[in-house]
Amino acid sequence: MSCVKSQGTQPAETGGKGMDFNAYDIMEPRLPGKTPKEFRNGGRVKGQDVRPDGMYRPDYGILTPNMRSPEYVQMSTAAAITLGVTTGRMYRTSCTRCLNLLLTYPEGCRASCAYCGLARHREAERDYADRNFIRVDWPAVPMDTVVDIVASDVANSPFHRMCISMITHPRSDDDTVSVLKKWTSRIDPDAIPVSILSNPTTMQREDVALLKDLGSDIFTVALDAATPELFDRTRGKGVQSPHKWSKYWEILMDAREIFGPQKFGAHIIVGMGETEYEVLELVQKLVDMGGHSHMFCFFPEKGSLMDHLPATPRDQWRRVQLARYLIDYCGVRLEQMKFDDLGRVTKYGLPQGELDDIIDKGIAFRTSGCPGKFQDDISACDRPYGDSPPSNIASYPFQPESKDIRKIRKQLKQKLDIPHRLV
């Protein structure tokens, strides 16, 4: 079993109109269509009411069982392989160090984010549990099974961290608490820390505080869009979705106060129409607040409202990856960098020799996310091939080797003036 589906889409060398970035006027989502009444709110699955029996994989080719959290959770294929509930292979990496758990319901997510395969507008297209979240299949597994396996040998668990991913659903807040309690009742969060990928739309400050009190370690908000205008276009009224930029920032500020420095952050997707300056301005703001940014490279998820649009050109992605790493971990500030009149990074604020050292180490180009056990700038959440095909890697889920660094430099348009000094 492979960890990713072949979607027939490859990142292009350039974006729309031949540019080396995805401009705002190009990245216009489609509007969601109307769903027939009988398919709304999980009507097909709930109507036939097939009872779940153990693990369910989207490739089974049967009607999705009537599974719902907190009894069931979905997880990425890489997590399922690492957990040992399914078999498979990974390209150049031994799966994942983060057990990412996604809440699941027959009704599915009630939002319509334009780039997401879980969006509400797909109700008539596929059963919720058969849709991709980020490129890969997400099998559904009983939560009791998950806890039994990990609790049987916590000391030798391959997981450095567990993450509960919420969705927009009326039960999401309560069920996140239930999943967290079930985990911490048998697994010490000091041994395997817990992150929360939140759904601010349904949350209040007391919900954030409760998750902290119950043992979660890091709280993140999936802003995804780098600007209010882009947020509204892809996650709010522009696609008939309930999310609001102001509400997301309200909960993010609550998390800052409740979880404290270095224990909160925001997800950002690069290449949905923002400029490089705009996304790095957000990165700097998060650092100044005491938080971190977790970056994703836009990939047109099949069935989403943006599946007709170009993936982020590698030039744009590598420039932002490098600049974000410098801001987050190297003390470089946005004001030290230079940008052209299209908002592209032209200077990174470091002498070339120092910049070469950082490029050659390769960590800047690995998947960004909550930290694991190695060091703060190496994420536990390595999300193998969640934002690219293995043939054209965006976020490296492993330490890049010399051949990878050469490719990265080519994408950055950085010449090899000095020998590599890989560590």
Side-chain angles (χ1 to χ4, degrees):
M1 179 180 177
S2 173
C3 284
V4 294
K5 290 182 175 180
S6 175
Q7 293 186 311
T9 304
Q10 290 287 332
E13 290 298 320
T14 59
K17 298 182 179 178
M19 296 182 291
D20 64 352
F21 66 98
N22 282 344
Y24 186 87
D25 61 347
I26 297 295
M27 303 300 289
E28 180 75 47
R30 293 192 303 271
L31 289 176
K34 288 189 176 182
T35 303
K37 185 175 181 180
E38 64 270 22
F39 292 136
R40 294 175 192 166
N41 296 307
R44 177 169 48 187
V45 172
K46 290 190 291 186
Q48 298 198 32
D49 196 25
V50 176
R51 306 313 302 166
D53 181 20
M55 189 183 81
Y56 171 81
R57 280 199 339 224
D59 62 355
Y60 281 170
I62 61 175
L63 178 70
T64 302
N66 193 354
M67 304 172 294
R68 61 175 61 244
S69 296
E71 289 76 22
Y72 268 79
V73 290
Q74 289 182 261
M75 63 182 66
S76 69
T77 302
I81 293 172
T82 308
L83 188 65
V85 295
T86 191
T87 58
R89 55 186 171 81
M90 295 292 293
Y91 175 68
R92 294 180 64 186
T93 186
S94 55
C95 290
T96 182
R97 295 183 297 273
C98 182
L99 178 57
N100 39 8
L101 306 180
L102 176 71
L103 299 187
T104 188
Y105 306 93
E107 301 86 5
C109 185
R110 309 321 295 155
S112 288
C113 301
Y115 46 84
C116 183
L118 302 183
R120 185 187 71 240
H121 71 87
R122 298 188 68 191
E123 285 180 308
E125 184 181 339
R126 296 184 69 181
D127 298 338
Y128 176 78
D130 287 346
R131 303 178 207 157
N132 288 349
F133 183 24
I134 48 172
R135 272 186 45 78
V136 299
D137 277 343
W138 286 68
V141 182
M143 186 61 195
D144 285 339
T145 300
V146 175
V147 173
D148 286 345
I149 293 172
V150 178
S152 67
D153 191 2
V154 174
N156 294 306
S157 174
F159 296 112
H160 291 195
R161 181 170 289 275
M162 186 272 275
C163 178
I164 305 173
S165 297
M166 303 172 69
I167 64 171
T168 306
H169 187 278
R171 295 259 346 141
S172 188
D173 297 314
D174 290 341
D175 291 338
T176 297
V177 169
S178 297
V179 169
L180 179 57
K181 284 181 175 179
K182 181 162 287 193
W183 178 272
T184 57
S185 68
R186 297 181 59 193
I187 299 161
D188 186 347
D190 288 334
I192 302 179
V194 177
S195 295
I196 303 293
L197 176 54
S198 65
N199 175 44
T201 296
T202 64
M203 300 185 80
Q204 303 300 326
R205 182 184 177 90
E206 53 266 32
D207 298 315
V208 180
L210 178 59
L211 293 171
K212 175 70 163 61
D213 292 342
L214 291 174
S216 59
D217 171 59
I218 288 178
F219 187 98
T220 60
V221 169
L223 282 175
D224 292 348
T227 69
E229 297 78 16
L230 193 58
F231 186 99
D232 193 60
R233 177 198 241 187
T234 59
R235 313 203 64 192
K237 289 186 292 186
V239 286
Q240 302 166 24
S241 196
H243 300 318
K244 294 182 179 179
W245 176 265
S246 58
K247 179 63 175 178
Y248 269 60
W249 274 95
E250 173 192 323
I251 296 300
L252 182 60
M253 296 304 288
D254 287 338
R256 177 195 185 194
E257 296 174 10
I258 293 167
F259 279 76
Q262 313 308 316
K263 295 296 183 178
F264 72 96
H267 289 197
I268 310 170
I269 300 176
V270 174
M272 294 204 300
E274 77 292 334
T275 67
E276 292 167 31
Y277 179 84
E278 287 170 335
V279 71
L280 293 170
E281 185 179 36
L282 175 56
V283 170
Q284 184 68 67
K285 181 175 182 177
L286 291 167
V287 168
D288 291 345
M289 291 168 53
H292 279 289
S293 56
H294 302 164
M295 290 248 174
F296 297 71
C297 182
F298 171 72
F299 189 90
E301 176 66 38
K302 187 176 180 180
S304 74
L305 297 174
M306 297 179 76
D307 64 2
H308 60 297
L309 298 173
T312 309
R314 286 295 174 265
D315 314 49
Q316 179 183 13
W317 174 238
R318 296 294 177 222
R319 289 191 296 264
V320 173
Q321 268 189 310
L322 178 56
R324 171 260 172 192
Y325 182 83
L326 296 176
I327 294 171
D328 260 15
Y329 296 107
C330 301
V332 177
R333 294 194 59 83
L334 179 71
E335 305 91 84
Q336 297 172 247
M337 299 179 180
K338 294 187 183 302
F339 299 83
D340 66 15
D341 57 358
L342 295 175
R344 295 175 295 191
V345 185
T346 57
K347 298 289 183 182
Y348 294 89
L350 282 181
Q352 189 61 44
E354 293 181 34
L355 191 65
D356 283 327
D357 286 339
I358 291 168
I359 293 171
D360 287 347
K361 287 179 181 178
I363 297 173
F365 310 102
R366 295 181 66 157
T367 308
S368 60
C370 295
K373 296 179 180 178
F374 298 139
Q375 57 193 61
D376 286 346
D377 59 350
I378 296 180
S379 173
C381 187
D382 32 22
R383 303 187 299 274
Y385 313 114
D387 60 0
S388 70
S391 58
N392 193 341
I393 298 172
S395 302
Y396 282 85
F398 53 83
Q399 176 59 36
E401 300 175 356
S402 296
K403 63 180 181 180
D404 303 308
I405 299 297
R406 286 194 293 271
K407 186 174 184 178
I408 288 167
R409 280 186 170 275
K410 183 178 179 181
Q411 292 166 336
L412 276 168
K413 307 294 192 292
Q414 289 276 332
K415 294 182 179 180
L416 293 170
D417 296 327
I418 56 177
H420 278 18
R421 296 175 297 282
L422 291 175
V423 295

